[in-house]
Amino acid sequence: MRKYLDENKMELDSVICNYCGKKLLVENGILKEGCLEVDATFGYFSRKDGQNHRFDLCEDCYEKMVARFRIPVDSSEVKELL
């Protein structure tokens, strides 16, 4: 869950893991911890037609979640982080 200092969502105030409730480190509007940000919009033929779901997971909760996947996450190294 993200909170911003202003209504235009220009400067990040805090990030809290939606699963475990851990408050992640944010300094000067910059998230300084690993975090999975999910923003999913469900379309036609789903049970959630037209709904948008947003949440954040800390790195520990992300690792616990993907450890239960039957098909492993496809990962690769990124050359440049922007």
Side-chain angles (χ1 to χ4, degrees):
M1 174 177 74
R2 291 174 185 246
K3 292 186 181 177
Y4 294 87
L5 291 174
D6 59 42
E7 62 188 46
N8 296 323
K9 296 185 177 183
M10 297 299 290
E11 188 173 351
L12 191 60
D13 181 46
S14 64
V15 179
I16 299 171
C17 176
N18 283 75
Y19 189 77
C20 72
K22 174 185 174 185
K23 186 171 182 175
L24 282 68
L25 178 62
V26 174
E27 289 181 350
N28 299 318
I30 299 169
L31 178 61
K32 294 195 170 183
E33 283 193 59
C35 177
L36 171 69
E37 179 182 10
V38 175
D39 185 350
T41 301
F42 292 88
Y44 296 118
F45 311 111
S46 77
R47 291 187 305 273
K48 294 173 180 47
D49 286 358
Q51 292 183 27
N52 182 264
H53 291 203
R54 296 188 68 167
F55 62 90
D56 293 285
L57 293 179
C58 69
E59 205 164 356
D60 290 338
C61 289
Y62 168 79
E63 289 174 3
K64 290 174 189 173
M65 179 182 71
V66 300
R68 298 182 65 195
F69 287 3
R70 289 179 188 235
I71 300 169
V73 171
D74 183 22
S75 71
S76 61
E77 292 291 324
V78 177
K79 303 261 185 228
E80 294 183 34
L81 298 174
L82 298 175

